[in-house]
Amino acid sequence: AGHGDALSPELQTALQQLGVDAAAGATAPVEGEQQSYEAVNLDTTALIALTSNLSHGQVGWSFDDPVLEQQAVQETEDSVLQELHQVLEGRRLCVSRSALSTYQKLAAQMAGPAELQRFERIISALSVVDAETPEGFRVSKKVSKATLD
């Protein structure tokens, strides 16, 4: 199917079974036509990005770990905070109880003074919502339950 063409019924059914809304066919959404939401549910990764000195450009050293060093360089060139600000501005910030618990444990174990100040401001702005853990969801391999206990 070319750009804008309708999907075959078989492909549309297969996509719908995977949870993909294929009603509009193969046309990609046009910027500005996307639905706007009043609230946004933050996961632990977004909360850490909002809190981290690394995201705020307040890291004045080099890392031995090449992945961390690359992330630090990338943050100075293209801050994730700018992207998050565009998504979060004017919206109610929500968090599930499980994400909040993980965030609190990570902050208690790893946050420095400036990060703890940000953590307190962020916590005060959050609305806690109940959310069920999706069936088949696994604990992250990088942050396990043992890491947080």
Side-chain angles (χ1 to χ4, degrees):
H3 181 72
D5 293 342
L7 299 174
S8 71
E10 296 82 15
L11 180 56
Q12 188 166 358
T13 300
L15 288 170
Q16 287 171 340
Q17 288 173 345
L18 293 171
V20 176
D21 180 2
T27 305
V30 176
E31 193 170 328
E33 289 184 10
Q34 297 172 350
Q35 188 172 355
S36 179
Y37 295 96
E38 178 182 311
V40 62
N41 186 22
L42 299 172
D43 66 2
T44 307
T45 305
L47 291 166
I48 294 297
L50 290 168
T51 308
S52 171
N53 281 346
L54 186 61
S55 301
H56 287 266
Q58 297 178 351
V59 179
W61 62 82
S62 296
F63 294 94
D64 292 333
D65 183 324
V67 173
L68 290 177
E69 184 63 26
Q70 180 182 7
Q71 186 177 0
V73 169
Q74 184 179 355
E75 278 301 311
T76 60
E77 295 170 356
D78 186 25
S79 174
V80 70
L81 290 179
Q82 292 172 352
E83 293 178 39
L84 285 172
H85 178 73
Q86 291 173 0
V87 173
L88 303 179
E89 185 177 26
R91 293 192 169 96
R92 184 170 65 111
L93 305 178
C94 300
V95 64
S96 70
R97 290 186 195 287
S98 62
L100 178 61
S101 175
T102 300
Y103 176 52
Q104 290 170 319
K105 290 174 184 176
L106 288 170
Q109 290 181 1
M110 299 191 291
E115 292 165 323
L116 286 173
Q117 288 178 349
R118 284 187 213 105
F119 167 83
E120 292 298 333
R121 287 194 309 267
I122 291 166
I123 288 287
S124 69
L126 296 173
S127 298
V128 180
V129 295
D130 289 317
E132 294 180 25
T133 301
E135 188 176 324
F137 183 79
R138 293 185 215 134
V139 174
S140 168
K141 292 180 182 177
K142 293 187 182 207
V143 180
S144 68
K145 287 186 179 187
T147 304
L148 301 176
D149 291 335

